[in-house]
Amino acid sequence: MVWKTKLTELLAIEYPIIQGGLAYLAYADLAAAVSNAGALGQITAMSLEGPEALRNQIRRVRELTDKPFGVNFAIGQHGRPYEQMVEVAIEESVPVLSVTGGNPKGVIDMVKGHEIKTLVLVAAKRQAQKAEELGADAVIVVGQEGGGHLGRADTGTMVLTPQVVDSVSVPVVASGGIVDGRGLMAALALGAEGVEMGTRFIATKECVDAHPVYKQAILNADEHATVVIKRSLGTPGRALRNEWTDQILALESKEVGYDGLKSYISGQANRNYIHNGKIAEGFGWAGQGVASITSIPSVQELMDGIIQEAEAIKNKWK
Ligand SMILES: Cc1cc2nc3c(=O)[nH]c(=O)nc-3n(C[C@H](O)[C@H](O)[C@H](O)COP(=O)(O)O)c2cc1C
């Protein structure tokens, strides 16, 4: 069966599925595996050391696949300038670039005139309209269920997706809480042209940088297993609940501010958990969809399962 949506046409991919940026986890091997399986894999630029590391990652993806792939820029994070990194993505003619975490204008302006499709992550109708005005080729809606950084307004994917679909004319991609073929079909029913998944790709064989302890925590998790931290800083993000996040929430309730929180929410604390499996010394981002993740397949097996499940749903309603 042929899957054809505005997103598959725009990005020249087989299935309307994007692997979201995953800080410290989405490198060339995962991105290439996702693209080889017919979806869009992405490298996460801003958790790499610098422009040359990004160039190496892009070249490595090209060694592993001839399919389209993307580079994700979380421009608000790490307080680092992104221009040189975007320059590398342009020099290397990457097919797709996605932007989150700040005003996307700088990145979109740099990319204008090049054969690069731009995707902007949004968590509100107004942001989606702004992204379209600036020239984004598609917007990715980030609902409250999602893993990692979120919008401030706590709006869920089910509500946000149709709102955004009705307010822009570029293709809309739904994300937040989607982990299977049911989620894909639900998103399409809401008017999305595809989905982005983050958490689901962590629990795959090719996500080699995720420690087995992190993957196991995802498998063990139920629908109450995640919490939103960093809300007091205006940058909420969803993580697996553990003693470390309980401590963060306790500190936030005391209004300690950034200085009081910084060692708890640092990249190092994140890596302690996700790379080293030290669950008492850090945190790992994850979305509410963890509740439905029960296996660690290869990316190809994951994609086959999602597509089979989605097609069974389609056939049910024929
Ligand atoms: C561990 C982790 C790290 C993330 N890092 C980034 C990032 O660097 N850039 C980005 O755009 N989104 C990031 N996200 C968000 C995802 O790309 C995606 O939008 C989100 O995971 C969708 O929700 P889901 O986890 O329910 O699928 C991250 C999510 C997770 C779980």
Side-chain angles (χ1 to χ4, degrees):
M1 165 171 189
V2 178
W3 281 77
K4 193 169 152 188
T5 74
K6 287 181 189 156
L7 188 75
T8 61
E9 305 263 281
L10 177 72
L11 305 182
I13 53 178
E14 197 179 344
Y15 301 123
I17 299 175
I18 297 174
Q19 168 243 311
L22 294 169
Y24 304 117
L25 296 170
Y27 299 107
D29 293 60
L30 178 64
V34 174
S35 291
N36 276 330
L40 187 87
Q42 295 199 85
I43 303 165
T44 309
M46 297 308 281
S47 50
L48 293 167
E49 304 87 74
E52 289 315 305
L54 176 58
R55 196 185 306 279
N56 290 339
Q57 287 287 311
I58 293 169
R59 292 187 176 175
R60 171 106 182 112
V61 174
R62 286 219 159 93
E63 281 167 24
L64 298 170
T65 186
D66 54 6
K67 303 270 177 66
F69 63 95
V71 178
N72 170 262
F73 288 88
I75 56 177
Q77 273 173 28
H78 312 292
R80 277 169 59 193
Y82 57 82
E83 289 79 0
Q84 274 185 299
M85 303 280 260
V86 174
E87 206 48 64
V88 166
I90 295 169
E91 284 165 16
E92 296 292 320
S93 304
V94 303
V96 180
L97 200 148
S98 65
V99 196
T100 187
N103 185 345
K105 184 173 188 314
V107 176
I108 293 177
D109 285 351
M110 283 181 75
V111 169
K112 266 188 193 139
H114 298 275
E115 281 295 303
I116 299 177
K117 304 291 183 220
T118 50
L119 315 176
V120 174
L121 283 92
V122 300
K125 213 160 61 173
R126 182 72 203 108
Q127 286 171 3
Q129 288 164 336
K130 185 81 199 157
E132 179 172 41
E133 274 167 38
L134 291 172
D137 292 298
V139 293
I140 302 174
V141 162
V142 182
Q144 172 65 17
E145 300 91 325
H149 286 100
L150 303 164
R152 294 192 193 116
D154 293 356
T155 316
T157 308
M158 192 84 183
V159 168
L160 203 51
T161 303
Q163 285 298 306
V164 172
V165 165
D166 290 346
S167 59
V168 294
S169 51
V170 291
V172 175
V173 178
S175 87
I178 299 166
V179 297
D180 54 23
R182 296 175 291 184
L184 169 59
M185 291 307 285
L188 296 178
L190 294 174
E193 300 287 336
V195 297
E196 177 180 270
M197 302 192 301
T199 305
R200 188 62 190 90
F201 284 109
I202 300 171
T204 59
K205 292 204 170 83
E206 289 89 341
C207 191
V208 288
D209 293 281
H211 194 278
V213 162
Y214 183 24
K215 290 182 179 175
Q216 190 58 45
I218 290 174
L219 298 190
N220 294 349
D222 67 14
E223 72 274 31
H224 307 299
T226 65
V227 284
V228 175
I229 56 172
K230 294 176 63 183
R231 202 187 282 282
S232 64
L233 302 179
T235 54
R238 188 174 294 283
L240 286 165
R241 183 177 176 190
N242 62 357
E243 282 175 23
W244 193 266
T245 63
D246 285 349
Q247 269 175 293
I248 292 173
L249 292 180
L251 287 168
E252 291 198 78
S253 70
K254 290 185 197 140
E255 296 177 14
V256 298
Y258 178 73
D259 284 339
L261 286 169
K262 71 179 175 207
S263 58
Y264 287 88
I265 58 171
S266 65
Q268 187 56 53
N270 187 204
R271 291 193 300 270
N272 285 346
Y273 188 120
I274 68 171
H275 287 172
N276 304 327
K278 295 183 179 167
I279 55 171
E281 293 172 36
F283 67 95
W285 301 119
Q288 291 180 333
V290 283
S292 302
I293 299 176
T294 55
S295 62
I296 304 176
S298 68
V299 166
Q300 184 66 59
E301 288 163 350
L302 173 66
M303 208 59 63
D304 290 347
I306 290 174
I307 294 303
Q308 268 167 28
E309 187 178 33
E311 289 180 354
I313 294 168
K314 261 193 208 171
N315 293 335
K316 196 166 133 186
W317 300 109
K318 262 185 184 157

